[in-house]
Amino acid sequence: KAGVTQTPRYLIKTRGQQVTLSCSPISGHRSVSWYQQTPGQGLQFLFEYFSETQRNKGNFPGRFSGRQFSNSRSEMNVSTLELGDSALYLCASSLLSGEETQYFGPGTRLLVL
Amino acid sequence: DAKTTQPPSMDCAEGRAANLPCNHSTISGNEYVYWYRQIHSQGPQYIIHGLKNNETNEMASLIITEDRKSSTLILPHATLRDTAVYYCIVRDKDPGGTSYGKLTFGQGTILTVHP
C-alpha cells in the first residue's frame, strides 16, 4: 500500500506570495492532519480534516488554511507569506478522525525569501 | 494530553541495544504511549504504541512500568540507520474536541549510533 505523498517536495517563494501544498493520504484513510516543523518551534499541529470538515485547529494565524476533498486528499494554503513561514510542512493520515496511529508523509520544504 | 520528558541525547554502539527512556508521570488511564522517530529532514516514522502491557513489533519493544509513569523504547540491535530523533508522545485513547488529530511533539531524544 502506498504511503502518504506530498507535493511539491521543495518550494521557494518570496514574501507576500501565497502557496498551496498538497497531501494524498494512504488509501482508505479519511483523516489528514498538517504540521509545521521549524528549528525553533519544533513540530507543531496546524489542523486536522476528516470527511471534508476541519475537526481541529492549532494556534496559527488565519493566513494558514486548508481543505479536504471528497477523495480525502487535502491541501493547505498559506497566504501573504512571511520569512518565518519557512519550514518543513508535514502531512499525516489516519484511518479515522482521532484514530491513534498517524502516518506521516515526507514533507514539503518551503523556503520564503 | 500528558506531558513527557526525555533526555536530550543518547549514544549507542552499533549492534548493541538502545534503551530510550520517557517519563510521563501525569499520564491518565485512557492515554496511550506512542513512539515516533524522525531521521534528518524526513517525516516522522511510527514505531510502536502501548497502553498498559509491553509491546513488541519488528522494529522495537516498548516497556511500560506498572504504574505507567514511565516507559522505555528498546531497539534490540541498533544500526547506524537508527540514528534519529525519537519522540515519546502520550495520546488520549478517546480524543475529542481540541485533541482530534493532534499529536503533541516535545523535543525528543537525539539517538546517535556509533560504529
Side-chain angles (χ1 to χ4, degrees):
Chain A
K1 193 183 268 191
V4 178
T5 58
Q6 294 187 244
T7 57
R9 294 293 311 279
Y10 303 93
L11 204 51
I12 300 175
K13 292 286 189 179
T14 57
R15 280 181 300 173
Q17 288 186 309
Q18 74 166 17
V19 67
T20 299
L21 312 181
S22 180
C23 172
S24 292
I26 292 171
S27 177
H29 283 194
R30 295 169 59 194
S31 170
V32 172
S33 297
W34 288 89
Y35 295 80
Q36 180 198 65
Q37 186 173 28
T38 60
Q41 299 298 319
L43 269 155
Q44 293 187 291
F45 172 77
L46 278 158
F47 29 64
E48 188 232 9
Y49 285 87
F50 176 74
S51 292
E52 303 178 63
T53 302
Q54 187 182 88
R55 298 297 297 273
N56 195 5
K57 188 178 191 309
N59 189 25
F60 280 83
R63 299 186 297 108
F64 292 81
S65 63
R67 59 178 175 168
Q68 186 180 33
F69 302 95
S70 58
N71 62 357
S72 295
R73 190 177 69 85
S74 177
E75 290 181 347
M76 69 162 283
N77 183 275
V78 188
S79 62
T80 320
L81 283 166
E82 301 176 359
L83 296 179
D85 297 331
S86 295
L88 180 66
Y89 289 89
L90 293 156
C91 162
S93 78
S94 59
L95 194 61
L96 298 171
S97 181
E99 179 71 8
E100 303 92 349
T101 304
Q102 294 185 11
Y103 297 91
F104 284 81
T108 294
R109 186 163 295 281
L110 172 66
L111 176 62
V112 182
L113 301 175
Chain B
D1 294 334
K3 180 178 168 59
T4 62
T5 303
Q6 300 178 252
S9 63
M10 294 183 65
D11 291 332
C12 180
E14 189 176 22
R16 304 297 294 269
N19 298 286
L20 291 90
C22 179
N23 286 321
H24 30 79
S25 58
T26 60
I27 194 170
S28 63
N30 62 338
E31 289 181 316
Y32 282 96
V33 178
Y34 272 79
W35 284 83
Y36 283 81
R37 73 180 182 185
Q38 187 175 27
I39 296 169
H40 183 62
S41 293
Q42 298 181 20
Q45 178 188 23
Y46 165 76
I47 301 173
I48 199 168
H49 74 280
L51 185 64
K52 296 180 182 177
N53 300 319
N54 298 336
E55 302 287 344
T56 296
N57 63 19
E58 65 278 5
M59 288 183 67
S61 294
L62 174 61
I63 309 298
I64 302 174
T65 58
E66 192 168 344
D67 63 7
R68 303 209 324 120
K69 293 183 184 300
S70 66
S71 60
T72 301
L73 177 74
I74 301 173
L75 307 179
H77 305 287
T79 71
L80 298 179
R81 287 179 294 180
D82 291 323
T83 293
V85 180
Y86 286 77
Y87 297 99
C88 171
I89 299 166
V90 172
R91 179 94 165 86
D92 200 324
K93 179 182 176 184
D94 299 306
T98 60
S99 295
Y100 272 120
K102 179 180 179 181
L103 292 175
T104 301
F105 288 83
Q107 296 304 307
T109 296
I110 301 172
L111 175 68
T112 304
V113 181
H114 298 284

